[in-house]
Amino acid sequence: MTAMLRIAALHRYPVKGLSPEPLEAADLAAGSYFPGDRLFAVENGPSGFDPAAPAHQPKIKFLMLMRNEQLARLATRYDDATGTLTIREGGREVLRADLGTREGRLAVEAFFRRFMPDALRGPPKMLAAPEGFRFTDSRRGFVSLINLASVAAIEDMVGAAVDPLRFRGNLQVTGLPPFGELDLVGTELVAETGLRLRVTKRIERCAATNVDPATGERDLAIPRALMQHLGHVDCGVYAEVVAGGPIRCGDTLAVAA
């Protein structure tokens, strides 16, 4: 064992492009995605997505922060037990809809037609991920890890505070040097619970990280800063679940040599 990481925070993003949900714990299953993550997406005009034969689609085909920073003004919550999505804007509830029903999905689509008409390339459509599929940015984006030391280094690069939620990761971790996560590709992370994650690839950062997740303001140029200082735009890594198990905030992951 060559390093030890500590879980500082856990988040899921039930609807692609919408707000995070903090978690105290999660149960990860081998070969599966982070629980409750990217279950839904809002199609921005016809994308060609076929739920009977789901295939990864470029994120540009959906509403997402890289192009639609106004999404950050919405605070959303998804209730697994009831299938209900709640949307709040400015502290006020503006929609409550059952995504398991046609009426509920139509209500969400009508909301986005009102909320951001100028950003739509066609009728918005609420899509649900079929079993075994998720609307992740990467085909292999099963679980994403964000190194908080890397975020701190980016703060120095841009000369401003940087909310780690700009990077929309599932696991925020400490215990590594800045950008040390990039060297973990090909290694496995092991928890005392038996959970094993295999780090598969670096995450290339796009203009979505330039958007303040609290205000929706496009106020920084993070990919440009990364390229200027490091010669690449990578921050964070993706991992696959090799062996399932629970994970909680405060748990540790050992890096197996």
Side-chain angles (χ1 to χ4, degrees), residues 140-221:
R140 299 177 64 191
F142 293 93
V143 179
S144 55
L145 289 81
I146 305 302
N147 175 11
L148 293 183
S150 300
V151 177
I154 292 172
E155 290 184 327
D156 292 337
M157 293 177 191
V158 300
V162 175
D163 189 334
L165 292 177
R166 287 180 185 255
F167 301 91
R168 300 179 69 79
N170 300 130
L171 310 182
Q172 294 179 10
V173 302
T174 62
L176 292 170
F179 303 100
E181 76 276 15
L182 304 182
D183 298 326
L184 296 179
V185 174
T187 69
E188 289 192 3
L189 309 177
V190 185
E192 292 182 353
T193 60
L195 174 70
R196 297 181 70 91
L197 303 175
R198 180 182 297 120
V199 182
T200 56
K201 63 176 294 187
R202 300 179 175 196
I203 302 177
E204 296 181 8
R205 292 302 169 182
C206 68
T209 57
N210 295 338
V211 178
D212 187 318
T215 66
E217 182 181 357
R218 195 178 293 273
D219 58 353
L220 296 177

Side-chain angles (χ1 to χ4, degrees), residues 109-163:
E109 294 162 9
F111 169 80
F112 283 107
R113 285 198 298 272
R114 297 189 302 270
F115 179 67
M116 48 195 308
D118 295 339
L120 300 178
R121 299 191 299 268
K125 184 177 181 181
M126 193 73 188
L127 301 178
E131 184 67 29
F133 181 84
R134 293 292 185 271
F135 294 105
T136 53
D137 286 350
S138 169
R139 288 179 175 85
R140 299 177 64 191
F142 293 93
V143 179
S144 55
L145 289 81
I146 305 302
N147 175 11
L148 293 183
S150 300
V151 177
I154 292 172
E155 290 184 327
D156 292 337
M157 293 177 191
V158 300
V162 175
D163 189 334

